[in-house]
Amino acid sequence: MRYSKEHKQETHTRIVKKASVRLREKGAHGIGVADLMKEAGLTHGGFYAHFDSREALVIEAFAYAMDRANERWRKVAEQTPPEKRLATIVESYLTTVHRDDPGHGCAVPTLGAEIARESLKTRKAFAGKLEQMIDMMADQILDVPRKTARKQAMATLATMMGTLVMSRIAGTGEFSDEILTSGREAVLERPAVKPVAKKARAKVN
C-alpha cells in the first residue's frame, strides 16, 4: 500500500516526537530502535523508510527537543517586559516540575554527557543547537555589548543546567529543593538579571 507524502511526513514527525521524549527519559543508548518504533505504532522494519541510521534519528530527536526549548523561551520573552525576561526564563527552568519530568524537559542536562562521547557529526549538530540557545538567551541580556551578553548567557545557562543535573542526582527531597533554590539565587543575583516579583512555574515540555 502506497502512502502520500503528507502521511509519510506525519509518521516521520510522530517518530521524532516519541524518540525525543524517550531519549531524554532513558538516555541516548537506553532505548532501542525497535522500542521507539513500537511506541510510535510502527514496526521495526519501517524504520529505514524514514531514517538512514539510528544516529540520524538521534540527531533529529535532539534537535527537536532543543528547538522546542528555544520556542518556549521566545514565547516567554514576547509575553514579559524586557527587564524581566531573563529572570522569568531562569525561574521557569529551575523548578521541581522540570526536575521531575526529564522526558519533557531540556535536552542538555539529560543528554549532554552522552553527546560529548558521540560521533563528530552528532556533536556538531548538538553544538549548533546549543549555540542557538546561547544566542537566544543573550538577546534577553540588555544594556551590555553583544560579546558581553553572550558570555553572560553562557554562564547563566551553565549554572541553570548544572543546577538541574545536581538536583536530579539529589532526588526529590529537601536537599534537591535546596540545590534548585541555590541555583536560582546564584543566577538572579548577577548584575544582568533582576528577580521578578512572582516566580514563574511553567512546565518545560
Side-chain angles (χ1 to χ4, degrees):
M1 181 177 181
R2 294 178 64 86
Y3 293 103
S4 67
K5 290 183 179 179
E6 291 78 11
H7 181 273
K8 184 174 181 179
Q9 183 57 50
E10 288 174 2
T11 302
H12 184 99
T13 301
R14 186 166 78 251
I15 297 169
V16 170
K17 288 181 178 179
K18 289 285 187 180
S20 177
V21 174
R22 292 295 171 256
L23 289 169
R24 281 176 281 174
E25 288 179 342
K26 305 293 186 180
H29 300 285
I31 187 167
V33 168
D35 292 327
L36 289 173
M37 294 297 283
K38 184 178 179 180
E39 292 205 17
L42 301 165
T43 64
H44 187 187
F47 176 80
Y48 291 102
H50 294 276
F51 306 96
D52 294 332
S53 64
R54 188 181 190 281
E55 180 184 49
L57 171 58
V58 169
I59 290 173
E60 197 166 339
F62 290 168
Y64 176 86
M66 301 279 285
D67 287 343
R68 297 293 80 72
N70 274 329
E71 286 179 12
R72 285 190 296 275
W73 290 357
R74 287 192 186 96
K75 288 182 179 179
V76 168
E78 291 171 358
Q79 299 168 2
T80 308
E83 70 278 6
K84 296 181 179 180
R85 288 174 182 170
L86 186 55
T88 301
I89 290 171
V90 171
E91 292 180 335
S92 65
Y93 188 97
L94 292 177
T95 65
T96 55
V97 172
H98 190 187
R99 177 195 66 196
D100 299 340
D101 189 13
H104 294 91
C106 181
V108 180
T110 55
L111 298 165
E114 290 183 79
I115 294 299
R117 293 188 289 270
E118 292 291 329
S119 69
L120 177 61
K121 182 179 179 180
T122 301
R123 295 199 309 273
K124 287 181 68 175
F126 203 81
K129 292 298 180 181
L130 178 59
E131 188 165 16
Q132 289 178 13
M133 186 175 282
I134 290 168
D135 286 338
M136 195 287 305
M137 183 71 80
D139 290 341
Q140 316 313 319
I141 299 176
L142 309 176
D143 302 324
V144 296
R146 182 64 181 182
K147 186 174 182 179
T148 301
R150 272 179 58 86
K151 287 182 177 180
Q152 292 180 358
M154 291 176 187
T156 296
L157 283 170
T159 303
M160 290 165 58
M161 294 170 178
T163 296
L164 194 62
V165 170
M166 290 175 62
S167 71
R168 285 173 175 163
I169 292 170
T172 59
E174 184 177 344
F175 179 39
S176 180
D177 293 344
E178 184 181 4
I179 291 171
L180 287 175
T181 299
S182 297
R184 285 195 298 269
E185 291 176 352
V187 175
L188 297 177
E189 287 175 0
R190 291 176 184 154
V193 189
K194 297 179 180 179
V196 294
K198 185 178 181 180
K199 292 182 178 179
R201 295 293 177 184
K203 181 178 179 180
V204 178
N205 288 315

